[in-house]
Amino acid sequence: MEIEKLQEIIDKSNNIVFFGGAGVSTESGIPDFRSKDGLYHMKYKFPPEEILSHSFFMDNLDEFYRFYKDKMNSLNVLPNVSHKFLAKLEKAGKLRAVITQNIDGLHTKAGSKNVLELHGTIYKNHCMECGREYSAEYVFNSEGVTYCECGGIIKPDVVLYEEALNDFTMMQAINYIKQADVLIVAGTSLTVYPASGLIRYFRGKHLVIINRDTTDYDNMAELVIHEKLGDVFGKLKIN
């Protein structure tokens, strides 16, 4: 019944925006952060949220890169049914933008063109000294801390804790959400600010939340589906 309602909403709109989090990629085998199987429940010398902070990156490069290369490498990960459905929805002219908190690049790999990566991406890296750009393959295939030819440290273009989100990307996201008729929020606990605050900019007709667990925004949504994303998107069609 809920999926039929979502199908009806999608059928009637050509101005849909998708906003997703880690739960979109878990079915591709990428662990999220907060679930019982997530990174926050794994045992490391330091908590993952500390390792993935700007100050930790500056002070503990070896440990940062050990964790980053172990847990953030999605080069060989394939998009799942959710990524693929959204790419088809965009191609059909119904989806205006994918806004994601993920850094894995799977939306782009699935074929989506207009992807706003709020927290950056593993696919872009730069030297902190000379600014030269490096590929994800170069970073993940190197040993230990990754250095530039000039001797500078290479930093992934991902937004670490204590770092600000890109202003231009945030403004783009806000504008797409403000103008959307339908906002589908999926695979996110909606607890990480400022990204989670984006939902408050929605002025359209239909707010849909798809997430395994409840969120603080469920009472704002017209439709809430507590199922695995693959089970939802796998049943939808593009008419």
Side-chain angles (χ1 to χ4, degrees), residues 155-225:
K155 182 183 183 295
D157 287 352
V158 299
V159 179
L160 301 175
Y161 290 101
E162 304 165 352
E163 293 180 345
L165 272 61
N166 181 280
D167 285 341
F168 180 68
T169 305
M170 277 293 284
M171 287 308 301
Q172 280 186 302
I174 288 168
N175 287 334
Y176 275 113
I177 288 172
K178 274 184 175 178
Q179 295 167 21
D181 290 334
V182 178
L183 177 61
I184 300 173
V185 181
T188 172
S189 59
L190 291 170
T191 55
V192 178
Y193 284 88
S196 62
L198 287 171
I199 198 170
R200 297 191 178 279
Y201 290 96
F202 181 62
R203 301 287 181 267
K205 297 176 186 172
H206 308 288
L207 174 60
V208 179
I209 295 179
I210 310 167
N211 200 49
R212 201 169 53 183
D213 305 314
T214 58
T215 78
D216 291 341
Y217 292 84
D218 284 4
N219 62 342
M220 289 173 55
E222 173 188 350
L223 179 62
V224 178
I225 304 176

Side-chain angles (χ1 to χ4, degrees), residues 9 24 30 40 48 79 81 83 97-98 109 112 121 135 154 159 166 170 174 197 200 208 221 239:
I9 290 170
V24 180
I30 295 177
Y40 284 173
V81 63
H83 300 107
V98 168
K109 204 180 274 189
S112 290
T121 172
S135 69
I154 294 175
V159 179
N166 181 280
M170 277 293 284
I174 288 168
R200 297 191 178 279
V208 179
N239 299 319

